[in-house]
Amino acid sequence: MVLVGVSWAWATSTPLLGRLSAERRWLNFKNFAGELVPAPVRKSGDWGDALPWAWELLTDEGFLALMTTFGIATAAIILSGTLVLPLLPLASRRLARVDPFGLRAGKTNRAAGLVWKLSGPFVRFAFVLCRSLPEYLIAFLLISLLGLQVWPLVLALAIHNLGILGRLWGEVVENADDSAAMRAYAAGQGRVGVFATTTLPGVFNRFLIYFFYRWETCVKDATVLGMLGLLTLGKLIALSKGFFWDQMLFYVLLGGSVIVLGDLFSMALRRWLR
Amino acid sequence: MSGLLFVSLMSSSFQIDQVTCRFGELRAVNNVSFEIRKGEQVALIGPSGSGKTTLIQLLNTMRVPDEGRLTVLQNEVSVLTPRELRRLRTTLATIPQHLGLVPNLTAIQNVILGQGGRRGALRSLRDLLFPSRADALEIHAILDRVGIEEKLYSRVNRLSGGQQQRVAIARAIFQHPEVLLADEPVSSVDPARARDTVKLLCELSAEHGFTLCVSLHDLALAREFFPRLIGMRRGHIVFDGAPEALSSEDQRALYELSNEEMMVDA
Amino acid sequence: MKAQAGKYGLKRWVVAGLALAFLCCAWSLGLTPAGLVPPDSQHWDRTGEFFRAALNPALDYEDENVPADAEPIWWKGIKGVFLTLKFAFGAMSLAVPTALVLGFLGSSAWWPEPCGGKTRLILRAVYFISRLFMSLIRSIHELIWALLFLSAMGVSPLAGMIALALPFSGTLGKVFSELIDEEARDAAQALKAIGHGPVQIFLVGILPRAMPNLITYSFYRFECALRSSAVLGFVGIETIGLYIELSHEEFYYREVWTYLYLLIAMIVVVDLWGAGIRRRLHTSTGGCAI
Ligand SMILES: Nc1ncnc2c1ncn2[C@@H]1O[C@H](COP(=O)(O)OP(=O)(O)O)[C@@H](O)[C@H]1O
Ligand SMILES: [Mg+2]
């Protein structure tokens, strides 16, 4: 099946290389590569000149863009985490039913039974829907509705990650050991109480691990969401594209190094949490 | 190379001469010397932590001695190149304590990997996907001999512990080894099964003529089946001889806790 | 963790810290509740129209200039879905083999043993260089790769596929190497002890064992690749994203919704399919989403 898919993808993608001849392509590429060298270096041939140039780009707009990127990602991931948490008990296969953990919950009416029967699948399907749309697309649509401001980006990231965190955290909850939760329920606590006082503390560290993993991804995505027109690195990259390849490369590398740093940070954090 | 192929009838399988193997400060194997001749059946006995596993890893060349000389089938281990080392290893079958089967392959696929060292990567891959008829027949016969022929195409993670152990033995037999080393092969099965397994290993050794060296926890089993016992204690050899020669003093030296060890335990 | 001091203990502070971080970000970005509603009547109208369009997606082109004999819109949408699928397949078929090689180089389970000074040094170097390489290529977003490649090579499907495959093989490779190293090593050790070579151990001992997790994770990344390839439509590659953008530019919201519904349907189907695979292989993305 996979083989069929792959061969279909390749077989029908001709002409893969467009219509340009090989020499032409190589010439293009050489020009392009030349343009990637920082402008002052191109002029003087001295790589020492690159440093002040980079510093100027950084202090001029780069730094501000960097902070915006970080802010958007952080706000978005915290927002979606806050939204997912109360939904988790409603999505859990063990908790969201008339008789949580298979323990009898007393005499209930039909309506309650129906509600609990539907709540799990409904919430889980809502998660699927949320994660099915790429954040870039959501942001694109929201900007046209809400105008060019920061909220659409935050919302887009938050909505998409709502779905993803819902799935990842949901899986953690399903796989968690729930003997303590059962005891608490048998001792008379309600569903939400059980979730908040026994399940959640037990899985908190794993939750945090996923949380930071998604935060990392959000930083990366926030970078490119800027291409829609807000001052993040993505905007700077999109603006300098085509005219100032050297600047573009600088911003790309800046974004990349930030992500590598975030990567290292969350790796250290994960090791600490394990 | 020719030394590798030259094995005279009564030559030795292992010559181990004042060998020491360290983990940091700890001498897991400490100044040990002995010889195992070809075709011999030897049980390594000793309490846990006495260095049996480390010694077996020295014998199967997965570790090199920090001091001393180790000769395996006429090859001085420390001077072999990686290539020669791999060539040598194809003649040494090992059954590690946790068996080392690939869990989501079938029994026949696991057994066929016994020849993988000789056959190389591409041939092994082909063997995994399309085993040759000759191999399949031979493996069927081996599995029949060890008593699980009906499990030929079962995935090994669906087999019981005892059955998995049989697969590991079959893999070792299919390798056609000069030597079979088994590390505590019976530590995780019930006593009746343990006796069967040890008996099977000894019989196979006699049938195929390979040298057998088994580390065992259980002194009674070792005494019943093996003509030679090597007793280890904290990296040293404290006994080497026939089971009849094992005095009760030797046993105490082997298994009783000394004062300092009790202090450590407490 | 000192979780014993009260149910939440240290965790309370983590939560408080996150709340504080949110307030800081909101303040520095100027996020106010007022920003959550459309700013003026024009945007209000547009919002209303957009959501009304959700209820009756276009079954026919809204553009009058489309010739009568053009393919119907649902057909065009389905074609877009298939183009997106095809693109993701192409990218993954580049990314998975690359990632396997990178994952091999970036893991240590196959290293020969005993492994003396010089060999070990070389292997370490290879290990770190490949890990560094993986983290470099995945630290740049696929859209930015796409911008770079499309400028360097011109707009062609191949350029897009490579752009998508690069960061994906970085992520896949990293996860593969971790999955490989986290699997129990007993089988690899046993095969080493009977003379298998490094590559052989990887192929016959390690790979089959890690396979269920590798498949699950690759499938998860395939879902991501689908979304990404839809987004690549925005930089000019012909996937459903391109159709959405073009219709949106002309304010044909009902067409936008047709495409959106098709896109959502495709991703939901693939998502459910992935859940089925996970159930059959007894794996969870949880173990390997990182
Ligand atoms: N990889 C290792 N690193 C450090 N110490 C080890 C290692 N393997 C074994 N040891 C130590 O060496 C000693 C002998 O261990 P081992 O050979 O496994 O004994 P046995 O197999 O008889 O139980 C033990 O004290 C053990 O803690
Ligand atoms: Mg041991």
Side-chain angles (χ1 to χ4, degrees), chain A residues 15-67:
Chain A
L16 281 176
L17 284 169
R19 269 165 288 278
L20 291 180
S21 72
E23 295 126 75
R24 189 63 212 284
R25 190 176 300 285
W26 175 239
L27 215 65
N28 271 356
F29 182 75
K30 240 174 39 192
N31 282 342
F32 173 72
E35 299 251 321
L36 289 179
V37 177
V41 178
R42 238 179 297 154
K43 224 173 278 164
S44 64
D46 178 10
W47 277 93
D49 289 342
L51 221 59
W53 170 82
W55 181 247
E56 201 191 312
L57 284 184
L58 188 66
T59 45
D60 189 21
E61 278 196 314
F63 190 68
L64 191 64
L66 210 60
M67 291 317 290

Side-chain angles (χ1 to χ4, degrees), chain B residues 23 26 28 47-54 63 184:
Chain B
F23 295 109
L26 178 83
S48 67
S50 59
K52 302 185 296 292
T53 299
T54 311
R63 288 189 189 286
E184 310 225 16

Side-chain angles (χ1 to χ4, degrees), chain C residues 4-28:
Chain C
Q4 308 316 332
K7 284 240 164 55
Y8 281 95
L10 195 100
K11 295 164 190 157
R12 233 179 352 212
W13 295 107
V14 176
V15 172
L18 287 176
L20 196 67
F22 181 74
L23 290 180
C24 281
C25 291
W27 174 75
S28 77

